[in-house]
Protein backbone atom coordinates (compact mmCIF):
# COMPACT_ATOMS: atom_id res chain seq x y z
CA UNK A 1 0.00 0.00 0.00
CA UNK A 2 1.24 3.49 -0.89
CA UNK A 3 1.63 5.55 2.30
CA UNK A 4 0.78 8.92 0.76
CA UNK A 5 -2.13 8.18 -1.58
CA UNK A 6 -3.46 11.75 -1.79
CA UNK A 7 -2.87 11.87 -5.57
CA UNK A 8 -4.81 8.62 -6.06
CA UNK A 9 -7.65 9.86 -3.85
CA UNK A 10 -7.94 12.95 -6.03
CA UNK A 11 -8.03 10.78 -9.16
CA UNK A 12 -10.84 8.77 -7.59
CA UNK A 13 -12.72 11.99 -6.79
CA UNK A 14 -12.63 11.40 -3.04
CA UNK A 15 -12.79 14.14 -0.40
CA UNK A 16 -9.32 15.28 0.70
CA UNK A 17 -7.93 17.71 3.30
CA UNK A 18 -5.87 19.45 0.62
CA UNK A 19 -5.16 18.87 -3.07
CA UNK A 20 -2.13 16.76 -4.03
CA UNK A 21 0.73 18.51 -5.79
CA UNK A 22 3.34 17.59 -8.38
CA UNK A 23 4.87 19.52 -11.27
CA UNK A 24 5.15 18.58 -14.91
CA UNK A 25 8.84 18.12 -15.75
CA UNK A 26 9.62 18.16 -12.03
CA UNK A 27 12.35 15.56 -12.66
CA UNK A 28 15.00 17.75 -14.18
CA UNK A 29 16.09 20.93 -15.92
CA UNK A 30 15.89 23.38 -13.00
CA UNK A 31 17.65 21.25 -10.35
CA UNK A 32 21.43 21.62 -9.89
CA UNK A 33 21.83 17.87 -9.34
CA UNK A 34 20.04 17.24 -12.64
CA UNK A 35 22.28 19.75 -14.42
CA UNK A 36 25.34 17.89 -13.11
CA UNK A 37 24.10 14.68 -14.79
CA UNK A 38 23.07 16.57 -17.93
CA UNK A 39 26.62 17.90 -18.28
CA UNK A 40 27.98 14.36 -18.01
CA UNK A 41 25.55 12.33 -20.16
CA UNK A 42 23.65 13.21 -23.34
CA UNK A 43 19.87 13.37 -23.28
CA UNK A 44 18.88 9.97 -24.64
CA UNK A 45 21.66 8.27 -22.67
CA UNK A 46 19.91 9.56 -19.56
CA UNK A 47 16.56 8.28 -20.84
CA UNK A 48 17.93 4.89 -21.89
CA UNK A 49 20.05 4.13 -18.81
CA UNK A 50 17.68 2.83 -16.10
CA UNK A 51 19.98 3.85 -13.25
CA UNK A 52 20.19 7.44 -14.52
CA UNK A 53 16.47 7.73 -15.31
CA UNK A 54 15.62 6.38 -11.87
CA UNK A 55 18.05 8.74 -10.12
CA UNK A 56 16.65 11.76 -11.96
CA UNK A 57 13.08 10.71 -11.11
CA UNK A 58 13.73 10.73 -7.37
CA UNK A 59 15.91 13.87 -7.22
CA UNK A 60 12.97 16.24 -6.65
CA UNK A 61 11.38 13.77 -4.23
CA UNK A 62 14.44 14.06 -1.97
CA UNK A 63 14.09 17.85 -1.96
CA UNK A 64 10.37 18.56 -1.83
CA UNK A 65 7.21 17.17 -0.17
CA UNK A 66 5.67 16.10 -3.48
CA UNK A 67 2.65 13.79 -3.63
CA UNK A 68 3.70 11.91 -6.78
CA UNK A 69 6.81 11.14 -8.81
CA UNK A 70 6.83 11.05 -12.61
CA UNK A 71 9.29 8.77 -14.36
CA UNK A 72 12.06 10.64 -16.16
CA UNK A 73 11.81 9.77 -19.84
CA UNK A 74 10.76 11.43 -23.09
CA UNK A 75 7.78 11.14 -25.42
CA UNK A 76 10.14 10.45 -28.36
CA UNK A 77 11.25 7.06 -27.03
CA UNK A 78 8.02 5.71 -28.59
CA UNK A 79 8.82 6.72 -32.20
CA UNK A 80 12.44 5.63 -31.64
CA UNK A 81 11.08 2.19 -30.74
CA UNK A 82 9.11 2.29 -34.02
CA UNK A 83 12.32 2.69 -36.02
CA UNK A 84 12.03 6.49 -36.35
CA UNK A 85 15.53 7.67 -35.53
CA UNK A 86 15.11 10.79 -33.41
CA UNK A 87 18.17 12.55 -31.99
CA UNK A 88 18.39 15.47 -29.56
CA UNK A 89 20.31 18.18 -31.38
CA UNK A 90 22.19 20.89 -29.47
CA UNK A 91 20.27 24.21 -29.41
CA UNK A 92 17.63 22.72 -31.77
CA UNK A 93 15.87 20.03 -29.73
CA UNK A 94 14.25 16.95 -31.28
CA UNK A 95 15.76 16.21 -34.70
CA UNK A 96 14.83 13.65 -37.35
CA UNK A 97 17.21 13.56 -40.31
CA UNK A 98 14.60 12.08 -42.65
CA UNK A 99 11.10 13.24 -41.67
CA UNK A 100 8.12 11.15 -42.77
CA UNK A 101 6.57 12.82 -45.80
CA UNK A 102 5.20 9.95 -47.95
CA UNK A 103 2.71 7.10 -47.68
CA UNK A 104 5.54 4.68 -48.49
CA UNK A 105 7.48 5.87 -45.46
CA UNK A 106 4.39 5.37 -43.30
CA UNK A 107 4.10 1.80 -44.61
CA UNK A 108 7.65 1.14 -43.43
CA UNK A 109 7.00 2.27 -39.85
CA UNK A 110 6.79 -0.73 -37.53
CA UNK A 111 4.65 -1.41 -34.49
CA UNK A 112 7.36 -2.93 -32.28
CA UNK A 113 7.47 -5.42 -29.44
CA UNK A 114 7.77 -2.91 -26.61
CA UNK A 115 9.65 -5.39 -24.40
CA UNK A 116 12.40 -5.60 -27.01
CA UNK A 117 12.60 -1.88 -27.79
CA UNK A 118 11.60 -0.12 -24.56
CA UNK A 119 12.80 -2.54 -21.90
CA UNK A 120 15.07 0.14 -20.44
CA UNK A 121 11.97 2.17 -19.44
CA UNK A 122 10.45 -0.80 -17.63
CA UNK A 123 13.76 -1.46 -15.86
CA UNK A 124 13.81 2.19 -14.76
CA UNK A 125 10.32 1.76 -13.28
CA UNK A 126 11.46 -1.22 -11.20
CA UNK A 127 14.51 0.67 -9.89
CA UNK A 128 12.45 3.77 -9.13
CA UNK A 129 9.77 1.85 -7.24
CA UNK A 130 12.48 0.35 -5.03
CA UNK A 131 13.74 3.85 -4.22
CA UNK A 132 10.27 5.27 -3.60
CA UNK A 133 9.55 2.36 -1.23
CA UNK A 134 5.76 2.84 -1.43
CA UNK A 135 6.00 6.39 -0.06
CA UNK A 136 4.23 8.08 -3.04
CA UNK A 137 2.77 6.93 -6.38
CA UNK A 138 4.80 6.80 -9.59
CA UNK A 139 3.30 8.23 -12.79
CA UNK A 140 4.12 6.88 -16.24
CA UNK A 141 3.49 8.91 -19.38
CA UNK A 142 3.44 9.04 -23.16
CA UNK A 143 2.90 11.67 -25.80
CA UNK A 144 -0.42 11.75 -27.61
CA UNK A 145 -0.41 10.18 -31.08
CA UNK A 146 -0.98 13.61 -32.66
CA UNK A 147 1.96 15.17 -30.80
CA UNK A 148 4.29 12.30 -31.78
CA UNK A 149 2.96 12.52 -35.35
CA UNK A 150 3.82 16.25 -35.46
CA UNK A 151 7.47 15.58 -34.68
CA UNK A 152 7.63 12.66 -37.12
CA UNK A 153 6.34 14.74 -40.04
CA UNK A 154 8.11 18.02 -39.24
CA UNK A 155 11.33 16.33 -38.15
CA UNK A 156 11.80 18.93 -35.42
CA UNK A 157 9.88 21.37 -33.23
CA UNK A 158 7.78 24.06 -34.89
CA UNK A 159 5.77 27.16 -34.02
CA UNK A 160 2.77 26.02 -36.06
CA UNK A 161 3.37 22.44 -37.32
CA UNK A 162 2.03 23.44 -40.72
CA UNK A 163 3.87 20.62 -42.51
CA UNK A 164 2.23 18.06 -40.20
CA UNK A 165 -1.18 19.64 -40.69
CA UNK A 166 -0.75 19.77 -44.46
CA UNK A 167 0.19 16.08 -44.48
CA UNK A 168 -3.12 15.33 -42.73
CA UNK A 169 -5.13 17.32 -45.23
CA UNK A 170 -3.28 16.17 -48.38
CA UNK A 171 -2.70 12.53 -47.40
CA UNK A 172 -5.38 11.75 -44.81
CA UNK A 173 -5.23 7.99 -45.34
CA UNK A 174 -1.49 7.86 -44.66
CA UNK A 175 -1.92 10.26 -41.72
CA UNK A 176 -4.50 8.04 -40.07
CA UNK A 177 -2.38 4.96 -40.73
CA UNK A 178 0.58 6.54 -38.92
CA UNK A 179 -1.59 7.84 -36.09
CA UNK A 180 -3.01 4.34 -35.59
CA UNK A 181 0.47 2.78 -35.53
CA UNK A 182 1.57 5.30 -32.89
CA UNK A 183 -1.63 4.60 -30.93
CA UNK A 184 -1.11 0.82 -30.99
CA UNK A 185 2.50 1.19 -29.83
CA UNK A 186 1.52 3.64 -27.09
CA UNK A 187 -1.21 1.36 -25.74
CA UNK A 188 1.22 -1.58 -25.51
CA UNK A 189 3.85 0.68 -23.92
CA UNK A 190 1.54 2.10 -21.26
CA UNK A 191 0.01 -1.29 -20.47
CA UNK A 192 3.49 -2.62 -19.76
CA UNK A 193 4.22 0.37 -17.53
CA UNK A 194 1.11 -0.45 -15.51
CA UNK A 195 2.17 -4.10 -15.25
CA UNK A 196 5.55 -2.90 -13.96
CA UNK A 197 3.85 -0.92 -11.19
CA UNK A 198 3.07 2.70 -12.10
CA UNK A 199 -0.05 3.95 -10.30
CA UNK A 200 -1.34 6.18 -13.12
CA UNK A 201 -0.46 7.26 -16.64
CA UNK A 202 -0.62 10.67 -18.28
CA UNK A 203 -1.03 11.38 -22.00
CA UNK A 204 0.59 14.66 -23.07
CA UNK A 205 -1.02 16.33 -26.09
CA UNK A 206 1.45 19.18 -26.33
CA UNK A 207 0.42 20.28 -29.82
CA UNK A 208 -3.32 19.61 -29.83
CA UNK A 209 -4.00 23.33 -29.59
CA UNK A 210 -2.56 23.75 -33.10
CA UNK A 211 -5.69 22.15 -34.57
CA UNK A 212 -9.17 23.57 -35.11
CA UNK A 213 -11.88 21.96 -32.95
CA UNK A 214 -13.11 19.82 -35.88
CA UNK A 215 -9.61 18.71 -36.89
CA UNK A 216 -8.78 18.02 -33.25
CA UNK A 217 -11.60 15.49 -33.12
CA UNK A 218 -10.37 13.75 -36.26
CA UNK A 219 -6.60 13.77 -35.83
CA UNK A 220 -6.07 13.82 -32.07
CA UNK A 221 -8.94 13.19 -29.68
CA UNK A 222 -10.21 9.98 -31.27
CA UNK A 223 -6.75 8.43 -30.86
CA UNK A 224 -6.35 9.68 -27.29
CA UNK A 225 -9.72 8.11 -26.50
CA UNK A 226 -8.54 4.77 -27.89
CA UNK A 227 -5.65 4.93 -25.39
CA UNK A 228 -8.00 5.93 -22.56
CA UNK A 229 -10.42 3.11 -23.41
CA UNK A 230 -7.60 0.55 -23.44
CA UNK A 231 -5.93 1.75 -20.23
CA UNK A 232 -8.82 2.91 -18.02
CA UNK A 233 -9.82 -0.63 -16.95
CA UNK A 234 -6.23 -1.09 -15.70
CA UNK A 235 -5.26 2.24 -14.14
CA UNK A 236 -6.03 5.95 -13.83
CA UNK A 237 -5.50 7.90 -17.04
CA UNK A 238 -4.85 11.65 -17.05
CA UNK A 239 -5.20 13.53 -20.35
CA UNK A 240 -3.45 16.86 -20.74
CA UNK A 241 -4.00 18.86 -23.92
CA UNK A 242 -2.13 22.15 -24.08
CA UNK A 243 -4.32 24.82 -25.65
CA UNK A 244 -7.21 22.36 -25.91
CA UNK A 245 -9.75 24.08 -23.65
CA UNK A 246 -12.25 23.88 -26.55
CA UNK A 247 -12.27 20.07 -26.22
CA UNK A 248 -12.77 19.87 -22.45
CA UNK A 249 -16.50 19.15 -22.73
CA UNK A 250 -15.83 16.16 -25.00
CA UNK A 251 -12.82 15.02 -22.98
CA UNK A 252 -14.97 14.96 -19.85
CA UNK A 253 -17.21 12.34 -21.50
CA UNK A 254 -14.27 9.93 -21.79
CA UNK A 255 -13.11 7.40 -19.20
CA UNK A 256 -10.16 9.59 -18.17
CA UNK A 257 -9.79 9.98 -14.39
CA UNK A 258 -8.48 13.54 -14.73
CA UNK A 259 -7.97 16.28 -17.29
CA UNK A 260 -5.03 18.66 -17.27
CA UNK A 261 -5.66 22.32 -18.12
CA UNK A 262 -3.23 25.08 -19.02
CA UNK A 263 -3.26 28.72 -17.91
CA UNK A 264 -5.36 29.99 -20.84
CA UNK A 265 -8.62 29.04 -19.11
CA UNK A 266 -10.02 30.08 -15.74
CA UNK A 267 -10.74 27.46 -13.06
CA UNK A 268 -14.41 28.45 -13.21
CA UNK A 269 -14.70 27.86 -16.97
CA UNK A 270 -12.77 24.59 -16.73
CA UNK A 271 -15.25 23.36 -14.12
CA UNK A 272 -18.18 24.58 -16.21
CA UNK A 273 -16.98 22.95 -19.44
CA UNK A 274 -16.42 19.62 -17.65
CA UNK A 275 -19.69 19.91 -15.66
CA UNK A 276 -17.63 19.33 -12.49
CA UNK A 277 -17.72 15.63 -13.43
CA UNK A 278 -13.98 14.92 -13.53
CA UNK A 279 -10.85 15.74 -11.54
CA UNK A 280 -8.92 18.68 -13.00
CA UNK A 281 -5.16 19.25 -12.89
CA UNK A 282 -3.24 22.49 -13.38
CA UNK A 283 -3.09 25.33 -14.27
CA UNK A 284 -0.37 27.64 -12.90
CA UNK A 285 1.54 29.47 -15.64
CA UNK A 286 5.14 28.10 -15.45
CA UNK A 287 6.49 31.59 -16.20
CA UNK A 288 4.78 32.81 -13.03
CA UNK A 289 7.38 30.85 -11.05
CA UNK A 290 9.64 33.83 -11.81
CA UNK A 291 7.51 35.79 -9.33
CA UNK A 292 8.64 36.19 -5.72
CA UNK A 293 7.97 33.25 -3.36
CA UNK A 294 5.44 35.46 -1.54
CA UNK A 295 3.53 36.18 -4.75
CA UNK A 296 3.68 32.51 -5.76
CA UNK A 297 2.16 31.45 -2.43
CA UNK A 298 -0.64 34.00 -2.77
CA UNK A 299 -1.42 32.96 -6.36
CA UNK A 300 -1.34 29.24 -5.57
CA UNK A 301 -3.71 29.73 -2.64
CA UNK A 302 -6.10 31.64 -4.89
CA UNK A 303 -5.82 28.92 -7.58
CA UNK A 304 -6.79 26.18 -5.12
CA UNK A 305 -9.67 28.24 -3.72
CA UNK A 306 -11.04 28.77 -7.22
CA UNK A 307 -10.73 25.15 -8.36
CA UNK A 308 -11.82 23.79 -4.97
CA UNK A 309 -9.82 21.30 -2.95
CA UNK A 310 -11.67 18.18 -4.13
CA UNK A 311 -11.39 16.66 -7.61
CA UNK A 312 -8.29 18.77 -8.08
CA UNK A 313 -4.55 18.19 -8.50
CA UNK A 314 -2.34 21.26 -8.11
CA UNK A 315 0.17 21.49 -10.94
CA UNK A 316 1.63 23.82 -13.52
CA UNK A 317 -0.17 24.50 -16.80
CA UNK A 318 2.83 23.02 -18.67
CA UNK A 319 6.35 21.83 -17.83
CA UNK A 320 8.60 23.78 -15.43
CA UNK A 321 11.05 26.08 -17.21
CA UNK A 322 14.81 25.41 -16.95
CA UNK A 323 15.67 28.82 -15.44
CA UNK A 324 13.28 28.76 -12.48
CA UNK A 325 15.02 29.27 -9.11
CA UNK A 326 14.80 26.15 -6.96
CA UNK A 327 13.40 28.17 -4.05
CA UNK A 328 10.51 29.34 -6.27
CA UNK A 329 9.65 25.77 -7.26
CA UNK A 330 9.70 24.92 -3.57
CA UNK A 331 7.44 27.90 -2.80
CA UNK A 332 4.87 26.53 -5.27
CA UNK A 333 4.91 23.07 -3.71
CA UNK A 334 4.85 24.28 -0.12
CA UNK A 335 1.97 26.66 -0.85
CA UNK A 336 -0.13 23.61 -1.74
CA UNK A 337 1.09 21.47 1.15
CA UNK A 338 0.41 24.29 3.63
CA UNK A 339 -2.97 25.26 2.14
CA UNK A 340 -5.86 25.52 4.60
CA UNK A 341 -9.55 25.99 3.78
CA UNK A 342 -11.18 29.33 4.59
CA UNK A 343 -13.95 28.18 6.89
Amino acid sequence: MIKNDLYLKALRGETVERPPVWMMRQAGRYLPEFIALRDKYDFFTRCQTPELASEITVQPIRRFPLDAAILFSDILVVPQAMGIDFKMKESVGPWLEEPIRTAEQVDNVVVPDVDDTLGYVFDAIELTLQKLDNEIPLIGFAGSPWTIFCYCIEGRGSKDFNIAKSFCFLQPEAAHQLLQKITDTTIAYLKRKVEKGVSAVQVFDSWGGMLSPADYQEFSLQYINKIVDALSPLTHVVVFGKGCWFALEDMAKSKASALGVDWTITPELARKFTNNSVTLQGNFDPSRLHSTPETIKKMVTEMINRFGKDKYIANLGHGILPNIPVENAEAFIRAVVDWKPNY
Side-chain angles (χ1 to χ4, degrees), residues 44 48 76-87 95-100 105-106 108-112 148-149 151-153 155 178 181-182 185:
F44 282 117
Q48 293 165 0
L76 296 178
V77 300
V78 166
Q80 283 178 335
M82 300 170 72
I84 302 167
D85 189 25
F86 272 100
K87 303 281 192 284
W95 180 262
L96 183 60
E97 194 64 42
E98 295 183 19
I100 294 171
Q105 285 175 290
V106 172
N108 291 332
V109 171
V110 298
V111 175
I148 301 295
F149 174 95
Y151 285 112
C152 292
I153 306 300
L178 180 55
K181 285 184 175 185
I182 297 167
T185 306

Side-chain angles (χ1 to χ4, degrees), residues 261 267 270-271 280 282-283 303-310 312:
V261 288
R271 287 292 187 202
L280 296 178
N283 69 335
M303 178 176 73
I304 296 170
N305 290 340
R306 291 173 71 183
F307 274 106
K309 71 176 175 67
D310 294 329
Y312 177 57

Side-chain angles (χ1 to χ4, degrees), residues 204-237:
F204 285 86
D205 196 9
S206 301
W207 305 121
M210 298 289 171
L211 293 166
S212 72
D215 289 333
Y216 188 71
Q217 295 282 344
E218 181 176 354
F219 295 106
S220 186
L221 191 56
Q222 68 159 316
Y223 294 101
I224 291 173
N225 284 340
K226 288 180 182 183
I227 295 169
V228 173
D229 288 346
L231 270 295
S232 58
L234 310 173
T235 193
H236 296 287
V237 186

Side-chain angles (χ1 to χ4, degrees), residues 13-38:
E14 296 174 10
T15 299
V16 292
E17 290 185 7
R18 67 161 176 89
V21 59
W22 68 279
M23 295 187 302
M24 288 186 274
R25 287 206 179 116
Q26 70 187 17
R29 305 216 297 178
Y30 66 107
L31 289 175
E33 54 268 44
F34 172 86
I35 293 166
L37 288 176
R38 183 198 67 192

Side-chain angles (χ1 to χ4, degrees), residues 22-320:
W22 68 279
M23 295 187 302
M24 288 186 274
R25 287 206 179 116
Q26 70 187 17
R29 305 216 297 178
Y30 66 107
L31 289 175
E33 54 268 44
F34 172 86
I35 293 166
L37 288 176
R38 183 198 67 192
D39 292 344
K40 200 172 176 183
Y41 304 98
D42 71 64
F43 181 77
F44 282 117
T45 296
R46 280 173 274 144
C47 290
Q48 293 165 0
T49 307
E51 293 77 11
L52 291 175
S54 169
E55 168 61 22
I56 292 167
T57 301
V58 300
Q59 282 177 345
I61 309 307
R62 295 191 188 115
R63 275 186 180 263
F64 309 127
L66 291 155
D67 297 305
I70 184 161
L71 188 73
F72 175 76
S73 186
D74 192 77
I75 63 171
L76 296 178
V77 300
V78 166
Q80 283 178 335
M82 300 170 72
I84 302 167
D85 189 25
F86 272 100
K87 303 281 192 284
M88 199 60 73
K89 202 169 184 179
E90 190 69 36
S91 72
V92 175
W95 180 262
L96 183 60
E97 194 64 42
E98 295 183 19
I100 294 171
R101 302 284 168 85
T102 69
E104 185 181 15
Q105 285 175 290
V106 172
D107 282 338
N108 291 332
V109 171
V110 298
V111 175
D113 180 327
V114 293
D115 283 320
D116 288 345
T117 53
L118 291 161
Y120 60 86
V121 178
F122 312 135
D123 292 343
I125 290 171
E126 290 185 352
L127 287 174
T128 304
L129 288 172
Q130 289 171 20
K131 291 176 182 175
L132 292 176
D133 194 27
N134 289 321
E135 288 292 334
I136 55 173
L138 179 62
I139 305 166
F141 72 90
S144 73
W146 164 251
T147 290
I148 301 295
F149 174 95
C150 280
Y151 285 112
C152 292
I153 306 300
E154 297 276 345
R156 57 185 296 174
S158 167
K159 287 183 179 176
D160 49 29
F161 288 99
N162 276 336
I163 300 172
K165 290 166 74 172
S166 297
F167 187 94
C168 289
F169 308 148
L170 293 169
Q171 303 184 71
E173 195 173 315
H176 283 297
Q177 185 186 353
L178 180 55
L179 286 162
Q180 187 61 53
K181 285 184 175 185
I182 297 167
T183 301
D184 292 342
T185 306
T186 303
I187 288 170
Y189 176 54
L190 292 178
K191 279 185 173 179
R192 199 78 179 100
K193 283 188 171 183
V194 174
E195 288 168 13
K196 285 292 181 179
V198 301
S199 295
V201 295
Q202 178 158 317
V203 179
F204 285 86
D205 196 9
S206 301
W207 305 121
M210 298 289 171
L211 293 166
S212 72
D215 289 333
Y216 188 71
Q217 295 282 344
E218 181 176 354
F219 295 106
S220 186
L221 191 56
Q222 68 159 316
Y223 294 101
I224 291 173
N225 284 340
K226 288 180 182 183
I227 295 169
V228 173
D229 288 346
L231 270 295
S232 58
L234 310 173
T235 193
H236 296 287
V237 186
V238 182
V239 175
F240 170 64
K242 185 172 180 287
C244 299
W245 57 268
F246 56 81
L248 281 173
E249 190 175 354
D250 286 321
M251 286 176 171
K253 296 170 186 169
S254 77
K255 294 173 184 172
S257 295
L259 301 176
V261 288
D262 67 19
W263 61 93
T264 62
I265 187 169
T266 64
E268 293 81 8
L269 276 177
R271 287 292 187 202
K272 181 181 176 183
F273 289 169
T274 57
N275 200 26
N276 203 26
S277 64
V278 65
T279 295
L280 296 178
Q281 174 181 280
N283 69 335
F284 201 82
D285 182 346
S287 297
R288 265 293 181 178
L289 291 180
H290 284 298
S291 302
T292 64
E294 295 76 24
T295 300
I296 291 167
K297 180 173 183 181
K298 183 180 173 186
M299 292 182 72
V300 169
T301 302
E302 181 188 355
M303 178 176 73
I304 296 170
N305 290 340
R306 291 173 71 183
F307 274 106
K309 71 176 175 67
D310 294 329
K311 286 188 182 175
Y312 177 57
I313 298 161
N315 206 317
L316 305 177
H318 201 229
I320 189 168

